[in-house]
Amino acid sequence: MNFSVSKNESEDRSKIERKKMIDASTNIIMTRLEELRGASNQEKAKMRRRWIWELIQNAVDSSRESGAKIWVEYDKENDILRFSHNGKFFTYDNLIDLITQISSKSDDVNNVGKFGTGFISTHLISGFVNVEGYYQRNNDNDESKKINFILDRRGETREAIKNSTEQAISNLDNLLSIDANTKTVDENCTCTSFSYDLSYSSSDVHKNIEEGIRDLDMNISYVFLFSNKLKEVHCNEYVYRKKEEHKLQDLQNISVLICEKENLNDKSKEETLVMSCCDPLHSTTIAFKFHDNRESKFVESMEDTPKIFCSFPLIGTENFSFPVAVNSPYFKVLQERNGIQEGSEVNRQIFDVAVKLYSSIMDYMALNEGWKQLYNLCKVAHHGSELQNRLNNDIINIYSFRKIVPFSEKDKSSLFSLQNGRNYPETWIPLIDKKELMDPFWELINEIQLDKPIPIKIENMNWAEISSPNRVGIDAIRNILCQAKMVTGLPIKNNYNCYDWLNRLYDIWFNSVNNDVISFNSKVLVPNQNEEFVGINNIFIDDNIDETLKDILKKLGEDIRCTLLSKQVAIPISNSLKKISSSDVAKRIYIIVKDLQHK
């Protein structure tokens, strides 16, 4: 029996296959659009920020051997956002993937844009996109043709999305039926572009586009480090490029990348420095930015930087519990590319490697001079997940025992030392609740001869945020007064005046309790006229008492100087204290003498 397929049957099957493809495509696109449109405003803002990375990922995936060059043109006045690159030409598979969102991408670590639906999230910028590029039948064929078609994803219903998909495929078929018209294209020029018509977008889209461009400016140096295929990014009047990378002497796994940002208008250039530590065997790298003024190197804040990169940043991981950026092409990421699968064993193993790399970096910092703002390598957000809690503890156990806290221009100390299985503070960190009092309070502490060093003033507040057990506040000062017992016992450094120090202390102390007299009086210790520290509730103001009268009263068995505030001390509440005058002392002398005469 002959089961050969007739031409009509073949055409019928093609129609059925095409219908199934369009139905499947409609389901995927509609489901994804509903998820995007139904997201909270906060989530929408976050996803809109990702538009630039979704497009850059796709551009890098399609890059040639010479590397990817990218152009971003944002024309706010004319409501146009145009993204272009010099990558490989479209094949039919690529175009069908783009139109239907039924991705044929493999789970290849070299193709970081693993989800075909990633592109669809850019429709939060605009649902109306003009696609321009070149088509070739296959990668081995030199012949190509220029094509141009519309992706319209503005539809609110399933039928509207289905119709626009059918229309896009039909238009594509018509384009591809025309003979090839181009044979060669300069690889340094634009080959593919996506133009987003912003006139169809909501009012806040412009803000999100600008945030995406700021993200680009902030994170592009990391992407240059983590993605060897990316060579150059033009964004309006700026061009970003990788300049050079060099290994640190004798440290093969630690290197510095220099990236360049050039202003095309005035030809001025800025450099960004990125230090990285890598484990090539496990394809894991950690990195952070710093700047160098030739005298010192300053680690930059990682606060707004995504902490997880899968060659490209996972927007939304800025508060992940790790102090620096971690990159691995093997991360198991969430489909939204805003986080990782925290229960994945693969991800746990990657972070085990990252923790070891972090330890190497901190060893390097402890042994090398000239590094400042190392607290930026110790700031870890706190989260409740099992993985992030473990990472938080691992990081603390590393930085706490490295000599990374500067207490002079050249000297550094550690936060803790390990003695008999316990952590002992090796650094005291002055801290007071009111920010405006921090500098004068630090100066007070700095004038005391303590048993531990304190951080330099400019870094003190940041180190106080890092480690609460090392903090010393007003209560610690009170303990010092108690231990000193007398003014002469204060551990003030030689070139500072004790009473000047005390007067500044009382001003800060009173201000720190919001000028609350009761709170101040309950704890403050002040020197009497015998230079002894006493509670203020039993102290009086000396209203110019004659010193001879004080001496007479003392010989009679009462030392009034014990209850009189030192004349060298000025406290903020002196007006509320009772005064004692010479007349009061004379009366007391009279009473004692009269009593003695009676006896």
Side-chain angles (χ1 to χ4, degrees), residues 42-79:
Q42 184 178 7
E43 283 301 311
K44 282 181 182 177
K46 190 183 296 182
M47 286 187 283
R48 285 187 184 123
R49 280 175 55 198
R50 292 199 344 253
W51 65 269
I52 198 161
W53 301 115
E54 294 291 353
L55 294 171
I56 291 177
Q57 284 175 20
N58 288 335
V60 170
D61 283 349
S62 66
S63 64
R64 304 170 187 271
E65 290 184 7
S66 59
K69 288 188 176 182
I70 290 168
W71 291 262
V72 180
E73 302 165 74
Y74 172 46
D75 186 346
K76 185 176 182 178
E77 184 176 341
N78 292 307
D79 280 328

Side-chain angles (χ1 to χ4, degrees), residues 545-554 582-583 585-586 589:
I545 304 171
D546 188 286
E547 293 298 319
T548 303
L549 292 177
K550 296 177 188 176
D551 292 338
I552 293 172
L553 189 57
K554 184 174 181 180
S582 292
S583 174
V585 176
I589 292 172

